[in-house]
Amino acid sequence: MNHAITLLLVFSATSLTHAATFQGIGDLSGGANESYANAISADSRAVVGSSVGPSGQQATVWTAGSGILGLGFLPGGSGYSEAFAVSTDGSNIVGTSRSTLAAAPNSQAFLFNSGGFSPLQGFGPSNNSVAYAINGPATLAFGFAETSAEIQAAWSDVTAAPVLAAAGQIRASSESGTAIAGLQIDAGVTQAFTINGSSGVILLGDFPGGNTLSAAFGISGNGQVVVGFGSTAAGFEAFRWTQASGLVSLGDFPVGLTASSAFGASRDGSIIIGSGETSSGAAAFLWTTARGLENLNNVLFENTDADLTGWTLERATGITPDGTGIVGNGTHNGVPEGWVVTGFSFDTTKPRLEFAFSKRIVTSVARLRLRGTVFDEGRVISVKAKVGKKGFRASRQIDPWAFTARLKPGKNKVLLRATDAAGNVSKTVRIVITRTSA
């Protein structure tokens, strides 16, 4: 005869929100069906990148209300422009454009706002210049200008001034603009670097066994975490760097080439986005301190209501400081298209179990039925129990769940745990059931 004890388990964690939205940014009419998303404003309202229109590839801005709009070109330019970064409120955009200001076929760095295009000058007759980053208030833009070599540069408004004498590029800025990151080329060696306030240049090094090649493409909003890629004996791996930890590999997907790179980080660096290689090709990744590196295609498909039919997300290129907005590039039914996710919330909190019974039970029965109800704001995917030295076994149903514990005479240790849809595992509940003589 089975006797039953009902347990109440409450899960207070939040899974990846089902309210998250995913959509492609579309493309400019009259040209090839092709678009790219490079960055997203802090408020998730503006996505910047490029698309191919009738006059060639041109810088674009996308909003949910207006869709994708072409920004055009610098004066005298045609055929190519691209936006790489956007200010906090989306009102200031930087990138590069063909122009009569730069010797053909090269491009000139630009700032675009309500006043239209402004060239970012200051290096004299530049052969080529690109603005890759802008700080939140839009008072500083960063990138490179090429004369005899690529010079790392910082632009304030439209006046350029070199930061470092060595060749290279600045690829990322903190929210305030006091910390930057990029790649430096010295004596033929390309190496990731960062500058934080008055720290001077900090070279980040590389992984053991590689070809001494690394580059930084992103930096956290607080300027403390730098991300990019480094060279290993097996290939290239995404990294996360802090002053305390140094260069730490984020790894890559288990099957495929070793070729991963990180392109952006949240304000505190706890969420990182980028791209890696799977057996079927490139795939966007999401990395968190709690869960490590995961395929963003799978994360969105399994834990949100996003419709990814026909989509392959190949590269995540930008993230908001709070981590709720992510943009990137991929293919939609085989056509290159930029995409955006908003309202994204990633749970890294372990579920919490509460129960209204003693952890020590005394009974005279040989078989005790344990039953319970699971509550969760998201979705619980398993409840498992272990009795004695036997392995964990899952309940055939989740809500309510039930197990029959076969008890030996004396003390029996029972372990209970649950896993939610975000992969968070609850703390293990330990119960001691003492079976006495009848």
Side-chain angles (χ1 to χ4, degrees):
M1 181 177 183
N2 293 339
H3 292 256
I5 292 180
T6 300
L7 313 180
L8 177 65
L9 285 82
V10 179
F11 292 79
S12 62
T14 304
S15 298
L16 280 170
T17 177
H18 288 254
T21 61
F22 169 89
Q23 64 187 110
I25 65 171
D27 57 79
L28 298 176
S29 61
N33 296 325
E34 188 175 332
S35 67
Y36 303 93
N38 293 330
I40 183 171
S41 61
D43 59 10
S44 293
R45 294 183 179 180
V47 177
V48 300
S50 67
S51 180
V52 178
S55 55
Q57 183 175 349
Q58 67 173 289
T60 58
V61 60
W62 175 96
T63 64
S66 301
I68 190 168
L69 300 173
L71 302 182
F73 309 91
L74 277 171
S78 65
Y80 173 73
S81 66
E82 188 166 6
F84 290 107
V86 60
S87 61
T88 295
D89 62 1
S91 63
N92 288 270
I93 300 167
V94 296
T96 191
S97 169
R98 294 267 174 83
S99 170
T100 53
L101 299 170
N106 297 314
S107 300
Q108 170 70 45
F110 71 75
L111 171 71
F112 182 93
N113 52 31
S114 59
F117 277 97
S118 299
L120 293 170
Q121 302 178 46
F123 276 84
S126 173
N127 294 324
N128 201 34
S129 62
V130 179
Y132 283 118
I134 189 170
N135 67 344
T139 56
L140 293 167
F142 305 89
F144 78 85
E146 181 182 354
T147 51
S148 59
E150 290 178 340
I151 305 296
Q152 294 168 341
W155 291 288
S156 176
D157 295 327
V158 294
T159 303
V163 176
L164 299 174
Q169 302 173 1
I170 299 172
R171 299 300 295 258
S173 165
S174 65
E175 291 179 77
S176 65
T178 57
I180 57 176
L183 56 101
Q184 183 176 4
I185 305 170
D186 191 10
V189 176
T190 300
Q191 189 173 170
F193 82 93
T194 185
I195 298 176
N196 196 327
S198 59
S199 68
V201 178
I202 301 174
L203 295 176
L204 307 189
D206 198 3
F207 296 120
N211 297 319
T212 314
L213 173 62
S214 63
F217 295 128
I219 192 169
S220 60
N222 63 15
Q224 301 301 308
V225 180
V226 179
V227 300
F229 80 87
S231 174
T232 70
F236 300 103
E237 290 187 12
F239 73 72
R240 181 180 190 269
W241 177 94
T242 67
Q243 185 76 56
S245 68
L247 212 64
V248 176
S249 173
L250 303 184
D252 201 349
F253 299 120
V255 180
L257 299 174
T258 302
S260 63
S261 182
F263 298 113
S266 60
R267 178 175 290 116
D268 63 358
S270 63
I271 305 174
I272 296 171
I273 50 90
S275 180
E277 285 289 328
T278 69
S279 57
S280 56
F285 76 67
L286 179 76
W287 179 95
T288 65
T289 51
R291 294 166 53 81
L293 187 143
E294 297 178 280
N295 190 321
L296 185 58
N297 292 268
N298 297 339
V299 172
L300 293 176
F301 177 78
E302 294 172 358
N303 301 291
T304 75
D305 295 329
D307 183 4
L308 298 179
T309 304
W311 278 94
T312 299
L313 311 186
E314 297 177 339
R315 182 181 176 113
T317 55
I319 184 171
T320 58
D322 63 4
T324 61
I326 300 174
V327 298
N329 303 307
T331 58
H332 185 206
N333 296 324
V335 177
E337 185 175 349
W339 50 264
V340 55
V341 178
T342 57
F344 185 86
S345 177
F346 197 79
D347 170 35
T348 58
T349 305
K350 292 181 179 180
R352 178 170 54 89
L353 284 72
E354 295 180 352
F355 44 89
F357 67 96
S358 173
K359 289 184 179 180
R360 296 185 177 274
I361 300 171
V362 179
T363 182
S364 61
V365 302
R367 294 162 61 93
L368 187 65
R369 186 73 167 169
L370 303 177
R371 292 196 300 251
T373 302
V374 179
F375 297 95
D376 187 60
E377 295 179 21
R379 180 168 60 94
V380 175
I381 59 174
S382 73
V383 179
K384 296 182 179 181
K386 176 181 179 182
V387 181
K389 295 182 179 180
K390 296 181 179 180
F392 277 94
R393 55 191 179 91
S395 172
R396 293 183 178 180
Q397 59 189 49
I398 301 298
D399 190 17
W401 56 265
F403 295 99
T404 297
R406 298 185 180 185
L407 307 175
K408 66 180 183 179
K411 291 184 178 181
N412 297 264
K413 294 182 180 180
V414 179
L415 306 180
L416 294 168
R417 66 174 61 147
T419 304
D420 66 19
N424 300 302
V425 181
S426 67
K427 288 184 177 180
T428 301
V429 176
R430 291 173 172 81
I431 305 168
V432 177
I433 304 175
T434 302
R435 177 186 168 191
T436 61
S437 300

